């Protein structure tokens, strides 16, 4: 009986052949926690009687959600993490290094075919390189820190086939928002998703990460992009399903028909085509997050904002996904282009995405954002509206001060 | 194990940001979480909730973040049980792991302030003379809940027993 990707990876980590529906204990290859989840995980680990973690080379802690510390309380939590990392010999990424998920792939902590747990829901991002990675809570992570294992139910898989070329100005974010709109916020609960097709084969690593990261916005346990066409800076074995694997559902999408997509308040599955949206006045624009804070995303914004100036009533805030992303964008002139256009760069980290600090919206403000969630209050103020879209969508709105179709702007650029 | 409590009823897709906003999650002070629980959904909740009350919700309760602060905030505020038509995956595990009883009941008619009686062993839910049955959890989850959470479970067993 053929296996899906998740069935294959779980089988190798369980030491026996498993299929969807089976409950099993698995070995883990790597663990991660952030400053939102690590303090609780450390406490739980100690309360379990934990003294040494099962393998200190298989864990990283990341200070990214409230980084640098906005107040004394959080500074103490960061200290607790530094102390624990030091005492256990665990790798710690400190202020400004970047967003946890970006660092996990950049620094090769997650690799194709591995099984990784992260105490953060967007841990599913590493499915971009064929890792079975899933988000858990702090206590589950503590259990894995203690035992090197966890238990899970093997999920069923939804296969999404995407073929054709994306139109100009339409990005991986538009594609994944389109998928979230079809499947819905709980349409993939308890399931894994696999993405395949010619469109996927041509996608960059940055784009693949954008798509995999939003698997959780459909409730999925994991989201894999077939690794065909993927290049990584090291040798790896491709992660593909058997040709006779069993799928719960198969969805076909023609990429050439996808337009700029926007998730309107207050749920990431409230997805509409930008053509059906009015030109709503906006106040703040944010480009960043584990979903869209990479070099490719900054390039897409720079393409729209080059030699132009952000609308005077708009604050454009950018948080690169990592120090490496920032440095690359600095070296190739993207930071200069965007700064001249009026953008404000934040340290690499989560900040505005999760409403901790560095850009809380005011009352009755409208925000356009390249992040992954627009739940009520997500950015720190329940009296604000968040519209999610691609980096090009955010840049276009920042430029004109209102929601604008980036495809039209780009056509204008080409035509002039 | 029987739980009897008064119902607070909410709708579908209550996400973790509405259970406890991200800005309050960076703390080890559970009481401070309880003070802000469900604040963006029902600003009065933290004042009116009584020890032992039950939260009743629709589909996909707890979607979004993996923050364990969400079930912790509800538990610290005094909530004894959550009933929902379905739960988001990570929230479900987190609730069991911290020892907060939770039960999926596919269909029910429960109104605000109703007194609900739940038998966690049989999954039987009784309210206003009607009886409903909850979905059975995997044995490993029942075992973890019986130990009042994963910390006690692993302190005792040192490993997962499936
Ligand atoms: S960038 Fe946003 S979604 Fe990603 S890990 Fe940080 S807070 Fe979570």
């Amino acid at each position: 009986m053929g296996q899906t990707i998740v069935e294959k990876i779980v089988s190798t980590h369980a030491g026996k052949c498993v299929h969807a529906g089976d409950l099993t204990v698995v070995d883990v290859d790597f663990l991660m926690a952030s400053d939102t989840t690590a303090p609780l995980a450390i406490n739980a680990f100690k309360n379990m009687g934990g003294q040494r973690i099962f393998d200190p080379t298989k864990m990283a802690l990341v200070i990214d959600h409230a980084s640098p510390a906005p107040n004394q309380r959080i500074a103490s939590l960061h200290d607790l993490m530094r102390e624990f990392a030091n005492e256990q010999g665990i790798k710690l990424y400190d202020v400004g290094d970047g967003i946890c998920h970006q660092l996990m792939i950049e620094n090769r902590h997650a690799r194709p075919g591995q099984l990784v747990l992260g105490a953060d829901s967007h841990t599913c991002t590493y499915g971009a390189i064929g890792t079975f990675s899933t988000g858990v809570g702090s206590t589950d992570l503590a259990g894995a820190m203690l035992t090197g294992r966890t238990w899970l139910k093997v999920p069923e898989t939804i296969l999404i086939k995407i073929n054709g070329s994306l139109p100009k100005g339409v990005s991986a974010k538009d594609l994944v928002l389109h998928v979230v709109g079809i499947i819905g916020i709980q349409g993939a609960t308890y399931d894994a998703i696999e993405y395949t097709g010619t469109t996927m084969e041509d996608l960059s690593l940055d784009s693949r990460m954008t798509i995999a990261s939003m698997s959780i916005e459909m409730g999925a346990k994991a989201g894999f992009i077939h690794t065909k066409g993927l290049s990584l800076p090291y040798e790896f074995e491709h992660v593909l399903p058997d040709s006779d694997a069993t799928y719960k559902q198969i969805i076909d999408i023609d990429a050439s028909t996808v337009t700029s997509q926007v998730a309107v308040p207050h749920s990431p599955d409230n997805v509409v085509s930008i053509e059906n949206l009015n030109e709503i006045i906006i106040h703040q624009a944010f480009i960043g997050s584990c979903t869209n804070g990479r070099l490719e995303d900054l390039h897409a914004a720079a393409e729209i904002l080059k030699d132009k100036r952000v609308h005077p009533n708009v604050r454009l805030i950018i948080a690169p996904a990592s120090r490496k992303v920032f440095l690359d964008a600095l070296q190739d002139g993207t930071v200069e282009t965007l700064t001249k256009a009026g953008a404000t760069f934040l340290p690499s980290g989560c900040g505005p995405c999760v409403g901790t600090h560095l850009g809380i919206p005011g009352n009755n403000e409208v925000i356009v954002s390249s992040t992954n969630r627009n739940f009520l209050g997500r950015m720190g103020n329940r009296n604000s509206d968040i519209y999610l879209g691609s980096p090009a969508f955010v840049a276009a709105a920042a430029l004109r001060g209102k929601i604008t179709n980036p495809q039209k702007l780009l056509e204008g650029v080409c035509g002039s | 194990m029987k739980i009897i409590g008064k119902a607070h009823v909410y709708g579908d897709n209550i996400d973790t940001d509405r259970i406890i906003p991200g800005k309050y999650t960076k703390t080890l002070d559970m009481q401070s979480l309880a003070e802000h629980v469900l604040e963006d959904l029902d600003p009065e909740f933290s004042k009116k909730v009584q020890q032992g009350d039950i939260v009743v919700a629709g589909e996909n309760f707890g979607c979004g973040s993996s923050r364990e602060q969400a079930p912790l905030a509800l538990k610290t505020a005094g909530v004894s049980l959550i009933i929902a038509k379905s739960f988001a995956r990570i929230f479900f595990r987190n609730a069991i792991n911290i020892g907060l009883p939770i039960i999926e009941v596919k269909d029910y008619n429960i109104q605000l302030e109703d007194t609900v009686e739940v038998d966690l062993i049989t999954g039987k839910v009784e309210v206003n003379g009607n009886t409903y049955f909850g979905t059975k959890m995997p044995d490993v989850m029942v075992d973890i809940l019986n130990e009042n959470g994963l910390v006690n479970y692993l302190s005792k067993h040192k490993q997962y027993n499936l």
Side-chain angles (χ1 to χ4, degrees):
Chain A
M1 189 171 157
Q3 287 186 308
T4 60
I5 292 179
V6 75
E7 288 168 336
K8 283 186 172 184
I9 298 179
V10 176
S11 294
T12 57
H13 289 79
K16 60 180 181 196
C17 181
V18 295
H19 285 94
D22 293 342
L23 238 59
T24 185
V25 176
V26 287
D27 292 329
V28 297
D29 292 309
F30 207 86
L31 303 174
M32 186 280 295
S34 76
D35 48 342
T36 293
T37 53
L40 281 174
I42 293 168
N43 271 3
F45 172 75
K46 291 183 174 161
N47 291 338
M48 285 169 184
Q51 307 218 320
R52 309 297 305 171
I53 93 149
F54 81 106
D55 182 347
T57 64
K58 292 187 175 169
M59 182 164 187
L61 296 176
V62 186
I63 293 176
D64 60 350
H65 277 60
S67 162
N71 58 43
Q72 197 182 346
R73 170 172 48 85
I74 294 178
S76 305
L77 297 176
H78 289 172
D79 272 346
L80 186 147
M81 288 172 71
R82 292 186 190 105
E83 220 170 275
F84 185 76
N86 207 3
E87 138 204 329
Q88 297 280 330
I90 297 170
K91 173 75 191 166
L92 177 115
Y93 292 98
D94 214 315
V95 170
D97 285 339
I99 298 168
C100 52
H101 308 305
Q102 183 66 22
L103 295 172
M104 287 287 288
I105 290 190
E106 245 176 43
N107 296 304
R108 308 179 188 188
H109 296 310
R111 291 174 182 245
Q114 288 189 333
L115 194 155
V116 174
L117 297 185
D120 188 277
S121 61
H122 289 96
T123 300
C124 54
T125 305
Y126 328 146
I129 59 167
T131 312
F132 174 34
S133 54
T134 195
V136 296
S138 298
T139 303
D140 252 333
L141 194 84
M145 287 160 67
L146 189 75
T147 63
R149 316 187 88 193
T150 195
W151 72 271
L152 56 83
K153 186 172 175 182
V154 185
E156 294 188 282
T157 299
I158 299 171
L159 180 68
I160 304 182
K161 295 180 177 172
I162 311 179
N163 290 294
S165 356
L166 287 169
K168 167 118 182 111
V170 177
S171 68
K173 179 60 161 294
D174 299 299
L175 199 51
V176 72
L177 283 174
H178 181 66
V179 172
V180 174
I182 294 171
I183 293 192
I185 192 150
Q186 63 165 338
T189 302
Y190 292 104
D191 297 332
I193 300 172
E194 285 181 22
Y195 292 91
T196 189
T198 55
T199 317
M200 306 311 292
E201 285 169 28
D202 292 341
L203 289 184
S204 65
L205 174 60
D206 284 8
S207 286
R208 288 169 190 249
M209 288 172 74
T210 299
I211 291 175
S213 77
M214 289 196 73
S215 309
I216 186 67
E217 269 61 65
M218 297 168 269
K221 193 178 269 189
F224 300 94
I225 320 285
H226 289 188
T227 56
K228 201 169 167 203
L230 171 71
S231 68
L232 288 173
Y234 54 89
E235 298 261 317
F236 67 96
E237 260 178 51
H238 282 282
V239 181
L240 296 165
D242 291 330
S243 56
D244 57 344
T246 307
Y247 292 97
K248 179 182 183 184
Q249 189 187 356
I250 298 178
I251 297 173
D252 273 291
I253 293 172
D254 176 357
S256 68
T257 64
V258 177
T259 54
S260 289
Q261 305 283 295
V262 183
V264 305
H266 296 288
S267 184
D269 67 340
N270 276 346
V271 177
V272 299
S273 172
I274 197 161
E275 288 144 10
N276 300 327
L277 264 186
N278 293 329
E279 293 192 324
I280 302 157
I281 304 278
I282 67 140
H283 307 92
Q284 179 168 300
F286 177 58
I287 297 174
S289 85
C290 53
T291 294
N292 280 116
R294 283 174 280 278
L295 193 61
E296 181 178 284
D297 304 317
L298 303 189
H299 285 168
E303 187 181 356
I304 287 183
L305 290 168
K306 189 169 173 50
D307 300 327
K308 300 214 172 63
R309 186 81 204 165
V310 164
H311 191 277
N313 297 342
V314 174
R315 290 107 48 189
L316 172 60
I317 296 173
I318 302 178
S322 68
R323 194 190 306 284
K324 180 176 185 310
V325 168
F326 180 63
L327 192 59
D328 289 346
L330 198 62
Q331 284 168 344
D332 74 7
T334 307
V335 169
E336 186 178 345
T337 301
L338 291 168
T339 304
K340 277 185 176 158
T344 300
F345 275 83
L346 301 182
S348 292
C350 302
C353 173
V354 64
T356 323
H357 65 157
L358 300 170
I360 311 289
N363 285 336
N364 305 316
E365 287 196 334
V366 175
I367 316 300
V368 289
S369 172
S370 76
T371 57
N372 42 53
R373 288 190 181 137
N374 58 346
F375 295 138
L376 186 74
R378 169 72 181 179
M379 293 181 86
N381 184 348
R382 73 189 300 271
N383 301 308
S384 61
D385 284 342
I386 309 165
Y387 290 79
L388 303 178
S390 69
F393 158 79
V394 175
L399 180 66
R400 297 198 54 230
K402 53 192 175 187
I403 287 185
T404 301
N405 187 346
Q407 285 180 273
K408 295 248 162 72
L409 269 189
L410 289 164
E411 277 163 20
V413 171
C414 296
S416 64
Chain B
M1 198 169 153
K2 272 214 169 111
I3 292 176
I4 301 174
K6 200 162 52 68
H8 300 261
V9 183
Y10 300 104
D12 294 339
N13 297 314
I14 309 296
D15 56 77
T16 48
D17 279 286
R18 276 185 290 174
I19 299 172
I20 184 76
K23 61 190 169 194
Y24 302 126
T25 53
K26 282 103 192 144
T27 181
L28 290 170
D29 172 10
M30 298 307 132
Q31 211 50 51
S32 76
L33 292 176
E35 280 162 24
H36 298 289
V37 66
L38 296 177
E39 175 176 282
D40 285 346
L41 175 69
D42 178 358
E44 297 304 308
F45 179 80
S46 67
K47 284 172 219 125
K48 64 189 184 197
V49 64
Q50 304 276 326
Q51 189 65 37
D53 283 0
I54 292 175
V55 167
V56 178
E59 302 284 352
N60 204 25
F61 186 81
C63 61
S65 152
S66 69
R67 62 184 72 144
E68 205 164 271
Q69 288 88 339
L72 279 170
L74 289 161
K75 189 181 180 188
T76 311
V79 173
S80 64
L81 171 78
I82 303 170
I83 297 173
K85 290 183 181 163
S86 64
F87 289 92
R89 188 184 61 79
I90 308 176
F91 183 91
F92 196 97
R93 268 183 91 121
N94 284 347
I96 302 297
N97 283 342
I98 64 147
L100 172 63
I102 182 168
I103 186 165
E104 183 185 84
V105 182
K106 286 286 173 206
D107 195 24
Y108 59 74
N109 180 359
I110 302 174
Q111 306 296 328
L112 184 65
E113 308 257 307
D114 280 352
T115 298
V116 187
E117 185 174 335
V118 178
D119 184 331
L120 281 179
I121 308 289
T122 59
K124 193 160 141 191
V125 178
E126 289 174 293
V127 54
N128 295 330
N130 294 320
T131 302
Y132 309 99
F133 279 93
T135 312
K136 202 180 163 320
M137 285 193 287
D139 291 344
V140 58
M141 285 191 140
V142 175
D143 293 346
I144 293 170
L145 194 56
N146 280 338
E147 297 292 351
N148 199 26
L150 188 63
V151 167
N152 289 349
Y153 176 95
L154 280 178
S155 304
K156 188 163 153 188
H157 300 290
K158 310 289 175 215
Q159 59 175 357
Y160 295 99
N161 298 318
L162 281 197

